[in-house]
Amino acid sequence: MTARLGIGAMLYSQAVPRPALKFQEFIPLAPYTTFRIGGPARFFCEVEGEAEVEQAVGFVKERNLPLFVLGGGSNLLVSDAGFDGMVLRVGGAASKRDGREGESVLLEVGAGENWDDVVLYAVNRGYAGIECLAGIPGDVGGTPVQNVGAYGQEVAETIVQVRAYDLETGAFVNLDYEACRFGYRRSLFNAEARGRYIVTAVTYKLRPGGEPALRYADVKRHFAAQFERGEKPSLRQVYDAVRSIREQKGMLAGQGGPDGRSAGSFFKNPVVPSTALPQIAVNAECSPEDIPRYPAGDGMVKLAAAWLVEQSGFHKGFAMGRAAISSRHTLALVNLGDATAAELIALRDAVMNAVNRKFAIQLEQEPVMLGFSSTR
Ligand code: EPU
Protein backbone atom coordinates (compact mmCIF):
# COMPACT_ATOMS: atom_id res chain seq x y z
CA MET A 1 0.00 0.00 0.00
CA THR A 2 2.98 2.34 0.33
CA ALA A 3 5.86 3.80 -1.65
CA ARG A 4 6.77 1.54 -4.53
CA LEU A 5 7.73 4.08 -7.12
CA GLY A 6 8.55 6.88 -4.74
CA ILE A 7 8.46 9.64 -7.37
CA GLY A 8 5.16 11.25 -6.34
CA ALA A 9 6.58 13.03 -3.35
CA MET A 10 9.13 14.82 -5.50
CA LEU A 11 6.75 16.00 -8.17
CA TYR A 12 4.28 17.61 -5.90
CA SER A 13 6.55 18.97 -3.19
CA GLN A 14 8.59 20.86 -5.79
CA ALA A 15 5.86 23.37 -6.55
CA VAL A 16 7.28 26.90 -6.36
CA PRO A 17 6.52 28.50 -2.94
CA ARG A 18 3.81 31.14 -3.14
CA PRO A 19 2.68 33.96 -0.87
CA ALA A 20 0.42 32.99 2.04
CA LEU A 21 -2.57 30.83 1.14
CA LYS A 22 -5.80 32.70 0.49
CA PHE A 23 -8.95 31.43 2.14
CA GLN A 24 -11.78 33.04 0.22
CA GLU A 25 -15.32 33.26 1.56
CA PHE A 26 -18.77 32.83 0.00
CA ILE A 27 -17.48 31.86 -3.43
CA PRO A 28 -20.20 30.81 -5.91
CA LEU A 29 -19.58 27.22 -6.96
CA ALA A 30 -21.68 27.12 -10.15
CA PRO A 31 -18.79 28.34 -12.35
CA TYR A 32 -16.61 25.52 -10.99
CA THR A 33 -19.03 22.84 -12.20
CA THR A 34 -19.86 21.65 -15.71
CA PHE A 35 -23.56 21.75 -14.75
CA ARG A 36 -23.16 25.48 -13.94
CA ILE A 37 -25.39 24.94 -10.92
CA GLY A 38 -24.90 25.52 -7.20
CA GLY A 39 -24.73 28.07 -4.39
CA PRO A 40 -21.62 29.40 -2.60
CA ALA A 41 -18.90 27.70 -0.60
CA ARG A 42 -18.47 29.18 2.89
CA PHE A 43 -14.69 28.90 2.37
CA PHE A 44 -12.75 28.26 -0.81
CA CYS A 45 -9.06 27.69 -1.27
CA GLU A 46 -6.85 26.73 -4.17
CA VAL A 47 -3.71 24.84 -3.19
CA GLU A 48 -0.51 24.05 -5.06
CA GLY A 49 2.01 21.64 -3.62
CA GLU A 50 2.00 19.39 -0.60
CA ALA A 51 2.88 22.08 1.95
CA GLU A 52 -0.21 24.06 0.92
CA VAL A 53 -2.41 20.97 1.17
CA GLU A 54 -1.23 20.55 4.77
CA GLN A 55 -1.75 24.23 5.52
CA ALA A 56 -5.32 24.17 4.19
CA VAL A 57 -6.09 21.00 6.14
CA GLY A 58 -4.77 22.75 9.27
CA PHE A 59 -7.24 25.62 8.70
CA VAL A 60 -10.10 23.16 8.24
CA LYS A 61 -9.21 21.10 11.32
CA GLU A 62 -8.81 24.17 13.56
CA ARG A 63 -12.34 25.29 12.70
CA ASN A 64 -13.78 21.80 12.49
CA LEU A 65 -15.13 22.50 9.00
CA PRO A 66 -16.50 19.91 6.62
CA LEU A 67 -14.09 19.56 3.68
CA PHE A 68 -14.80 18.91 0.02
CA VAL A 69 -12.06 18.38 -2.56
CA LEU A 70 -12.98 19.86 -5.93
CA GLY A 71 -11.49 18.65 -9.20
CA GLY A 72 -12.77 19.71 -12.61
CA GLY A 73 -16.37 19.82 -11.30
CA SER A 74 -17.48 17.53 -14.12
CA ASN A 75 -19.12 14.90 -11.96
CA LEU A 76 -20.68 17.13 -9.35
CA LEU A 77 -24.10 18.52 -8.45
CA VAL A 78 -23.97 21.35 -5.87
CA SER A 79 -27.10 22.29 -3.93
CA ASP A 80 -28.76 25.67 -4.43
CA ALA A 81 -27.86 26.58 -0.83
CA GLY A 82 -24.19 25.84 -1.47
CA PHE A 83 -21.78 24.21 0.96
CA ASP A 84 -21.23 25.30 4.55
CA GLY A 85 -17.61 24.18 4.71
CA MET A 86 -14.29 24.38 2.89
CA VAL A 87 -13.97 23.64 -0.80
CA LEU A 88 -10.39 22.79 -1.60
CA ARG A 89 -9.23 22.96 -5.18
CA VAL A 90 -5.98 21.15 -5.90
CA GLY A 91 -4.29 23.37 -8.48
CA GLY A 92 -2.13 22.35 -11.36
CA ALA A 93 1.35 23.82 -10.88
CA ALA A 94 2.83 20.36 -10.40
CA SER A 95 2.55 19.20 -14.04
CA LYS A 96 3.95 16.06 -15.63
CA ARG A 97 7.00 13.88 -15.37
CA ASP A 98 7.91 10.94 -17.64
CA GLY A 99 9.97 8.09 -16.26
CA ARG A 100 10.89 4.70 -17.71
CA GLU A 101 10.19 1.27 -16.27
CA GLY A 102 11.44 -1.38 -18.70
CA GLU A 103 9.42 -1.11 -21.90
CA SER A 104 6.88 1.19 -20.27
CA VAL A 105 6.65 4.90 -19.56
CA LEU A 106 5.54 6.07 -16.14
CA LEU A 107 3.72 9.34 -16.62
CA GLU A 108 3.23 11.10 -13.32
CA VAL A 109 0.80 14.01 -13.34
CA GLY A 110 -0.35 16.54 -10.74
CA ALA A 111 -4.02 16.25 -9.73
CA GLY A 112 -4.96 19.69 -11.05
CA GLU A 113 -3.94 19.05 -14.66
CA ASN A 114 -6.69 19.00 -17.26
CA TRP A 115 -7.32 15.36 -18.16
CA ASP A 116 -7.80 15.81 -21.90
CA ASP A 117 -4.48 17.70 -22.12
CA VAL A 118 -2.78 14.70 -20.52
CA VAL A 119 -4.38 12.29 -23.01
CA LEU A 120 -3.21 14.47 -25.92
CA TYR A 121 0.28 14.74 -24.39
CA ALA A 122 0.50 10.93 -24.20
CA VAL A 123 -0.93 10.40 -27.69
CA ASN A 124 1.46 12.93 -29.25
CA ARG A 125 4.40 11.08 -27.72
CA GLY A 126 3.12 7.74 -28.99
CA TYR A 127 2.22 6.40 -25.53
CA ALA A 128 -0.73 4.00 -25.75
CA GLY A 129 -3.15 3.20 -22.93
CA ILE A 130 -5.44 6.20 -22.47
CA GLU A 131 -6.25 7.26 -26.08
CA CYS A 132 -9.93 6.20 -25.80
CA LEU A 133 -10.30 8.46 -22.75
CA ALA A 134 -10.04 11.56 -24.96
CA GLY A 135 -12.42 14.48 -24.57
CA ILE A 136 -13.56 13.62 -21.04
CA PRO A 137 -14.08 16.73 -18.95
CA GLY A 138 -12.36 17.05 -15.58
CA ASP A 139 -8.95 16.95 -13.96
CA VAL A 140 -6.41 14.21 -13.33
CA GLY A 141 -7.25 13.98 -9.61
CA GLY A 142 -10.78 12.79 -10.39
CA THR A 143 -9.70 9.98 -12.72
CA PRO A 144 -8.83 7.38 -10.07
CA VAL A 145 -11.72 8.47 -7.85
CA GLN A 146 -14.47 7.36 -10.22
CA ASN A 147 -12.25 5.11 -12.34
CA VAL A 148 -13.04 7.08 -15.47
CA GLY A 149 -13.85 4.85 -18.40
CA ALA A 150 -15.02 5.16 -22.00
CA TYR A 151 -14.87 3.45 -25.39
CA GLY A 152 -13.31 0.26 -24.10
CA GLN A 153 -10.71 1.65 -21.70
CA GLU A 154 -10.74 2.34 -17.98
CA VAL A 155 -8.14 4.53 -16.37
CA ALA A 156 -7.51 1.81 -13.77
CA GLU A 157 -5.84 -0.31 -16.49
CA THR A 158 -2.92 2.11 -16.48
CA ILE A 159 -2.78 3.50 -12.92
CA VAL A 160 0.19 2.24 -10.93
CA GLN A 161 0.23 4.83 -8.17
CA VAL A 162 -1.97 7.48 -6.59
CA ARG A 163 -0.33 9.95 -4.25
CA ALA A 164 -2.71 11.38 -1.69
CA TYR A 165 -2.92 13.13 1.65
CA ASP A 166 -4.55 10.88 4.24
CA LEU A 167 -6.79 13.01 6.46
CA GLU A 168 -6.96 10.22 9.04
CA THR A 169 -3.23 9.87 9.64
CA GLY A 170 -2.18 13.38 8.56
CA ALA A 171 0.47 12.01 6.17
CA PHE A 172 1.01 11.65 2.43
CA VAL A 173 0.80 8.10 1.08
CA ASN A 174 1.51 6.38 -2.24
CA LEU A 175 -1.27 3.92 -3.00
CA ASP A 176 -0.61 1.22 -5.59
CA TYR A 177 -3.14 -0.33 -7.99
CA GLU A 178 -4.27 -3.01 -5.53
CA ALA A 179 -4.77 -0.50 -2.73
CA CYS A 180 -7.06 1.61 -4.95
CA ARG A 181 -9.63 -1.23 -5.19
CA PHE A 182 -10.93 -0.24 -8.60
CA GLY A 183 -14.24 -1.43 -10.06
CA TYR A 184 -16.75 -0.06 -12.58
CA ARG A 185 -16.90 3.68 -11.76
CA ARG A 186 -15.65 2.87 -8.26
CA SER A 187 -12.50 2.98 -6.16
CA LEU A 188 -11.37 3.20 -2.57
CA PHE A 189 -11.76 6.97 -2.90
CA ASN A 190 -15.49 7.06 -3.68
CA ALA A 191 -16.50 3.96 -1.71
CA GLU A 192 -15.08 2.61 1.55
CA ALA A 193 -12.65 5.50 2.11
CA ARG A 194 -14.82 8.28 0.73
CA GLY A 195 -13.65 11.66 2.04
CA ARG A 196 -10.45 10.26 3.58
CA TYR A 197 -7.90 11.16 0.89
CA ILE A 198 -6.90 14.26 -1.05
CA VAL A 199 -5.42 13.02 -4.33
CA THR A 200 -2.40 15.12 -5.33
CA ALA A 201 -0.77 13.15 -8.18
CA VAL A 202 -1.42 10.07 -10.29
CA THR A 203 1.08 7.85 -12.13
CA TYR A 204 -0.05 6.12 -15.33
CA LYS A 205 1.91 3.25 -16.90
CA LEU A 206 1.76 3.62 -20.69
CA ARG A 207 3.14 1.70 -23.67
CA PRO A 208 5.44 3.72 -25.97
CA GLY A 209 4.78 2.73 -29.57
CA GLY A 210 1.78 0.63 -28.47
CA GLU A 211 -1.28 0.04 -30.63
CA PRO A 212 -4.49 1.94 -29.91
CA ALA A 213 -7.38 0.08 -28.28
CA LEU A 214 -10.16 -0.66 -30.76
CA ARG A 215 -12.66 -2.44 -28.56
CA TYR A 216 -15.87 -0.42 -28.67
CA ALA A 217 -18.39 -0.81 -31.50
CA ASP A 218 -18.73 2.96 -32.07
CA VAL A 219 -14.95 3.31 -32.47
CA LYS A 220 -14.61 0.29 -34.77
CA ARG A 221 -17.48 1.60 -36.91
CA HIS A 222 -15.70 4.93 -37.26
CA PHE A 223 -12.75 3.18 -38.94
CA ALA A 224 -14.74 0.68 -41.07
CA ALA A 225 -13.55 2.15 -44.40
CA GLN A 226 -9.94 2.29 -43.18
CA PHE A 227 -10.07 -1.35 -42.03
CA GLU A 228 -11.39 -2.37 -45.46
CA ARG A 229 -8.32 -0.80 -47.03
CA GLY A 230 -6.22 -2.86 -44.60
CA GLU A 231 -5.05 0.25 -42.71
CA LYS A 232 -4.71 0.47 -38.95
CA PRO A 233 -5.65 3.74 -37.25
CA SER A 234 -2.95 5.56 -35.31
CA LEU A 235 -3.21 6.63 -31.67
CA ARG A 236 -3.92 10.17 -32.82
CA GLN A 237 -6.67 9.02 -35.18
CA VAL A 238 -8.34 7.10 -32.33
CA TYR A 239 -8.03 10.16 -30.09
CA ASP A 240 -9.71 12.31 -32.77
CA ALA A 241 -12.38 9.68 -33.46
CA VAL A 242 -13.33 9.39 -29.80
CA ARG A 243 -13.58 13.18 -29.51
CA SER A 244 -15.81 13.30 -32.56
CA ILE A 245 -18.07 10.49 -31.22
CA ARG A 246 -18.29 12.25 -27.87
CA GLU A 247 -19.24 15.49 -29.61
CA GLN A 248 -22.08 13.80 -31.49
CA LYS A 249 -23.33 12.54 -28.12
CA GLY A 250 -23.00 15.93 -26.42
CA MET A 251 -20.36 14.49 -24.05
CA LEU A 252 -17.22 16.31 -25.22
CA ALA A 253 -15.17 18.31 -22.69
CA GLY A 254 -15.80 22.02 -23.12
CA GLN A 255 -18.72 21.50 -25.52
CA GLY A 256 -20.92 24.60 -25.74
CA GLY A 257 -24.71 24.96 -25.63
CA PRO A 258 -27.16 23.40 -23.20
CA ASP A 259 -26.04 19.84 -23.95
CA GLY A 260 -22.61 20.86 -22.65
CA ARG A 261 -24.04 21.91 -19.26
CA SER A 262 -24.16 18.38 -17.88
CA ALA A 263 -22.21 15.94 -15.77
CA GLY A 264 -21.86 13.35 -18.54
CA SER A 265 -23.76 10.17 -17.76
CA PHE A 266 -26.07 10.96 -14.87
CA PHE A 267 -26.72 7.28 -14.10
CA LYS A 268 -24.44 4.27 -13.96
CA ASN A 269 -25.21 1.34 -16.24
CA PRO A 270 -26.87 -1.20 -13.92
CA VAL A 271 -25.36 -4.66 -13.58
CA VAL A 272 -28.00 -7.40 -13.20
CA PRO A 273 -28.04 -11.23 -13.31
CA SER A 274 -28.55 -12.45 -16.89
CA THR A 275 -31.53 -14.46 -15.59
CA ALA A 276 -33.35 -11.11 -15.28
CA LEU A 277 -33.29 -10.57 -19.07
CA PRO A 278 -36.51 -12.45 -20.00
CA GLN A 279 -38.60 -10.32 -17.60
CA ILE A 280 -36.90 -7.12 -18.79
CA ALA A 281 -37.80 -8.13 -22.36
CA VAL A 282 -41.43 -8.71 -21.35
CA ASN A 283 -41.57 -5.28 -19.71
CA ALA A 284 -39.98 -3.60 -22.74
CA GLU A 285 -42.11 -5.61 -25.14
CA CYS A 286 -39.07 -6.75 -27.10
CA SER A 287 -37.14 -9.96 -27.50
CA PRO A 288 -34.30 -10.65 -25.02
CA GLU A 289 -31.76 -10.48 -27.89
CA ASP A 290 -32.74 -6.87 -28.54
CA ILE A 291 -31.78 -5.67 -25.05
CA PRO A 292 -28.52 -3.67 -25.31
CA ARG A 293 -26.06 -5.23 -22.87
CA TYR A 294 -22.45 -6.14 -22.21
CA PRO A 295 -21.15 -9.23 -20.39
CA ALA A 296 -20.15 -8.35 -16.81
CA GLY A 297 -18.73 -11.69 -15.62
CA ASP A 298 -20.13 -14.25 -13.14
CA GLY A 299 -23.49 -14.62 -14.93
CA MET A 300 -24.07 -10.86 -14.78
CA VAL A 301 -24.82 -8.39 -17.58
CA LYS A 302 -24.39 -4.63 -17.71
CA LEU A 303 -27.47 -2.93 -19.17
CA ALA A 304 -27.51 0.38 -21.03
CA ALA A 305 -29.16 2.80 -18.60
CA ALA A 306 -29.92 5.14 -21.56
CA TRP A 307 -32.03 2.40 -23.14
CA LEU A 308 -33.90 1.72 -19.87
CA VAL A 309 -34.62 5.43 -19.51
CA GLU A 310 -35.97 5.67 -23.08
CA GLN A 311 -38.09 2.55 -22.63
CA SER A 312 -39.55 4.17 -19.52
CA GLY A 313 -40.92 7.07 -21.53
CA PHE A 314 -38.13 9.69 -21.35
CA HIS A 315 -36.75 10.82 -24.66
CA LYS A 316 -33.95 13.07 -25.81
CA GLY A 317 -34.84 16.71 -25.22
CA PHE A 318 -37.58 15.98 -22.62
CA ALA A 319 -37.70 18.98 -20.23
CA MET A 320 -39.06 19.60 -16.75
CA GLY A 321 -38.69 23.29 -16.02
CA ARG A 322 -35.14 24.30 -16.92
CA ALA A 323 -33.74 20.80 -16.44
CA ALA A 324 -33.84 18.38 -19.36
CA ILE A 325 -32.57 15.22 -20.91
CA SER A 326 -29.81 15.98 -23.39
CA SER A 327 -30.95 16.29 -26.99
CA ARG A 328 -28.05 13.98 -27.96
CA HIS A 329 -27.90 11.26 -25.29
CA THR A 330 -30.61 10.02 -22.96
CA LEU A 331 -28.19 9.35 -20.11
CA ALA A 332 -27.16 12.98 -19.65
CA LEU A 333 -29.30 15.41 -17.68
CA VAL A 334 -28.66 19.01 -18.70
CA ASN A 335 -29.16 22.54 -17.46
CA LEU A 336 -31.09 24.44 -20.14
CA GLY A 337 -29.92 27.73 -18.54
CA ASP A 338 -30.36 28.93 -14.94
CA ALA A 339 -31.74 25.58 -13.82
CA THR A 340 -31.64 25.02 -10.07
CA ALA A 341 -30.31 21.92 -8.39
CA ALA A 342 -33.88 21.32 -7.19
CA GLU A 343 -35.11 21.20 -10.80
CA LEU A 344 -32.36 18.74 -11.73
CA ILE A 345 -33.27 16.55 -8.78
CA ALA A 346 -36.98 16.61 -9.66
CA LEU A 347 -36.10 15.35 -13.15
CA ARG A 348 -33.68 12.76 -11.73
CA ASP A 349 -36.38 11.42 -9.40
CA ALA A 350 -38.98 11.30 -12.18
CA VAL A 351 -36.58 9.25 -14.34
CA MET A 352 -35.53 6.92 -11.52
CA ASN A 353 -39.12 6.30 -10.44
CA ALA A 354 -40.24 5.56 -13.99
CA VAL A 355 -37.39 3.05 -14.55
CA ASN A 356 -38.10 1.44 -11.20
CA ARG A 357 -41.83 1.16 -11.96
CA LYS A 358 -41.27 -0.34 -15.40
CA PHE A 359 -38.28 -2.61 -14.77
CA ALA A 360 -37.93 -2.90 -10.96
CA ILE A 361 -34.37 -1.59 -11.44
CA GLN A 362 -33.05 1.08 -9.11
CA LEU A 363 -30.74 3.31 -11.16
CA GLU A 364 -27.71 4.61 -9.32
CA GLN A 365 -26.62 8.19 -9.75
CA GLU A 366 -23.07 8.89 -10.97
CA PRO A 367 -22.42 12.55 -9.99
CA VAL A 368 -21.38 13.38 -6.45
CA MET A 369 -23.79 15.59 -4.46
CA LEU A 370 -22.46 18.51 -2.41
CA GLY A 371 -24.39 20.56 0.15
CA PHE A 372 -27.37 18.23 0.40
CA SER A 373 -28.39 16.50 3.61
CA SER A 374 -27.77 13.09 2.02
CA THR A 375 -25.04 12.26 -0.49
CA ARG A 376 -27.41 10.56 -2.95
N1 EPU B 1 -28.61 4.39 -25.87
C1 EPU B 1 -29.91 4.78 -25.97
N2 EPU B 1 -30.17 6.11 -26.13
C2 EPU B 1 -29.20 7.03 -26.17
C3 EPU B 1 -27.86 6.65 -26.08
C4 EPU B 1 -27.59 5.31 -25.91
O1 EPU B 1 -30.82 3.97 -25.91
O2 EPU B 1 -29.52 8.22 -26.29
C5 EPU B 1 -28.32 2.96 -25.68
C6 EPU B 1 -27.98 2.29 -27.00
O3 EPU B 1 -28.50 0.98 -26.95
C7 EPU B 1 -26.47 2.27 -26.98
C8 EPU B 1 -26.19 2.05 -25.50
O4 EPU B 1 -27.21 2.81 -24.83
O5 EPU B 1 -25.95 1.25 -27.76
C9 EPU B 1 -24.83 2.51 -25.05
O6 EPU B 1 -24.67 3.91 -25.35
P1 EPU B 1 -23.21 4.59 -25.37
O7 EPU B 1 -22.34 3.84 -26.29
O8 EPU B 1 -23.38 6.03 -25.62
O9 EPU B 1 -22.65 4.33 -23.93
P2 EPU B 1 -23.32 4.47 -22.46
O10 EPU B 1 -23.39 3.09 -21.89
O11 EPU B 1 -24.56 5.25 -22.47
C10 EPU B 1 -21.02 4.62 -21.23
C11 EPU B 1 -20.40 5.47 -20.18
C12 EPU B 1 -19.92 6.78 -20.79
C13 EPU B 1 -18.91 6.46 -21.88
C14 EPU B 1 -19.59 5.56 -22.91
C15 EPU B 1 -18.65 5.08 -23.97
C16 EPU B 1 -21.48 4.94 -18.07
C17 EPU B 1 -22.46 5.35 -17.04
N3 EPU B 1 -21.36 5.75 -19.12
O12 EPU B 1 -22.20 5.28 -21.69
O13 EPU B 1 -19.26 7.52 -19.77
O14 EPU B 1 -18.43 7.62 -22.50
O15 EPU B 1 -20.11 4.37 -22.27
O16 EPU B 1 -17.78 4.16 -23.43
O17 EPU B 1 -20.80 3.92 -17.92
C18 EPU B 1 -19.70 9.15 -18.07
O18 EPU B 1 -19.48 8.25 -17.25
O19 EPU B 1 -20.00 10.31 -17.72
C19 EPU B 1 -19.67 8.82 -19.49
C20 EPU B 1 -20.01 9.69 -20.43
Side-chain angles (χ1 to χ4, degrees):
M1 180 139 166
T2 46
R4 207 165 55 82
L5 302 164
I7 52 180
M10 279 167 15
L11 178 83
Y12 215 70
S13 59
Q14 278 172 359
V16 183
R18 300 192 303 162
L21 260 194
K22 265 200 283 182
F23 296 103
Q24 296 172 271
E25 299 187 52
F26 302 107
I27 298 299
L29 290 173
Y32 289 97
T33 73
T34 52
F35 259 136
R36 297 279 181 266
I37 288 176
R42 177 68 187 84
F43 293 99
F44 185 96
C45 177
E46 187 147 355
V47 292
E48 283 181 16
E50 297 194 343
E52 289 195 358
V53 170
E54 285 175 324
Q55 219 181 312
V57 169
F59 181 94
V60 163
K61 288 201 166 154
E62 258 167 45
R63 289 159 186 80
N64 205 14
L65 293 169
L67 171 69
F68 180 77
V69 182
L70 176 72
S74 57
N75 192 42
L76 176 64
L77 181 59
V78 179
S79 77
D80 298 313
F83 178 57
D84 194 17
M86 166 69 82
V87 170
L88 194 68
R89 186 145 201 268
V90 181
S95 80
K96 309 178 205 49
R97 182 195 296 271
D98 298 17
R100 285 268 166 179
E101 191 191 66
E103 300 286 285
S104 307
V105 157
L106 298 180
L107 178 61
E108 195 203 2
V109 194
E113 289 277 312
N114 175 271
W115 172 248
D116 191 45
D117 290 349
V118 173
V119 177
L120 185 59
Y121 174 91
V123 163
N124 282 343
R125 275 160 189 75
Y127 304 161
I130 50 177
E131 61 284 351
C132 293
L133 304 177
I136 295 179
D139 290 350
V140 162
T143 60
V145 176
Q146 62 161 149
N147 184 13
V148 162
Y151 300 103
Q153 282 180 334
E154 271 188 356
V155 81
E157 292 168 35
T158 62
I159 290 180
V160 288
Q161 181 176 284
V162 174
R163 183 156 176 87
Y165 182 80
D166 182 345
L167 287 154
E168 251 174 45
T169 62
F172 281 89
V173 286
N174 293 327
L175 304 168
D176 64 13
Y177 170 84
E178 289 295 330
C180 292
R181 305 182 64 91
F182 291 117
Y184 166 60
R185 293 292 189 277
R186 101 178 273 291
S187 70
L188 175 76
F189 311 105
N190 68 5
E192 56 269 35
R194 193 186 181 107
R196 174 168 169 181
Y197 294 101
I198 302 172
V199 173
T200 54
V202 183
T203 306
Y204 306 92
K205 186 173 178 173
L206 305 173
R207 301 183 314 277
E211 304 248 320
L214 294 163
R215 303 175 189 153
Y216 205 81
D218 285 349
V219 181
K220 288 190 203 158
R221 212 172 298 127
H222 190 95
F223 292 110
Q226 212 167 315
F227 287 141
E228 258 173 42
R229 296 194 298 273
E231 294 167 19
K232 281 186 187 167
S234 65
L235 281 181
R236 180 58 199 243
Q237 283 175 322
V238 170
Y239 171 89
D240 290 334
V242 166
R243 284 183 59 95
S244 138
I245 296 165
R246 293 193 75 95
E247 187 172 25
Q248 286 156 30
K249 298 192 180 192
M251 299 265 190
L252 182 63
Q255 192 158 347
D259 286 338
R261 288 193 293 266
S262 85
S265 301
F266 198 89
F267 302 104
K268 295 183 194 174
N269 286 332
V271 176
V272 301
S274 47
T275 49
L277 290 173
Q279 187 57 48
I280 292 169
V282 170
N283 296 347
E285 296 174 44
C286 70
S287 105
E289 294 76 58
D290 293 336
I291 302 173
R293 62 184 185 275
Y294 318 92
D298 277 346
M300 306 296 277
V301 284
K302 194 193 276 178
L303 301 175
W307 182 83
L308 294 169
V309 170
E310 278 180 22
Q311 294 295 320
S312 306
F314 289 88
H315 296 281
K316 296 184 182 74
F318 174 89
M320 268 173 63
R322 293 163 294 178
I325 292 189
S326 163
S327 67
R328 304 190 197 194
H329 199 299
T330 321
L331 210 46
L333 304 190
V334 302
N335 167 10
L336 292 176
D338 299 324
T340 60
E343 282 174 300
L344 241 293
I345 285 168
L347 176 59
R348 173 200 72 180
D349 290 346
V351 169
M352 287 175 78
N353 290 337
V355 171
N356 202 3
R357 265 198 310 275
K358 179 139 185 159
F359 293 104
I361 291 175
Q362 187 66 45
L363 287 182
E364 213 184 305
Q365 176 178 328
E366 202 180 290
V368 169
M369 308 279 275
L370 179 64
F372 297 86
S373 46
S374 94
T375 53
R376 284 278 171 241

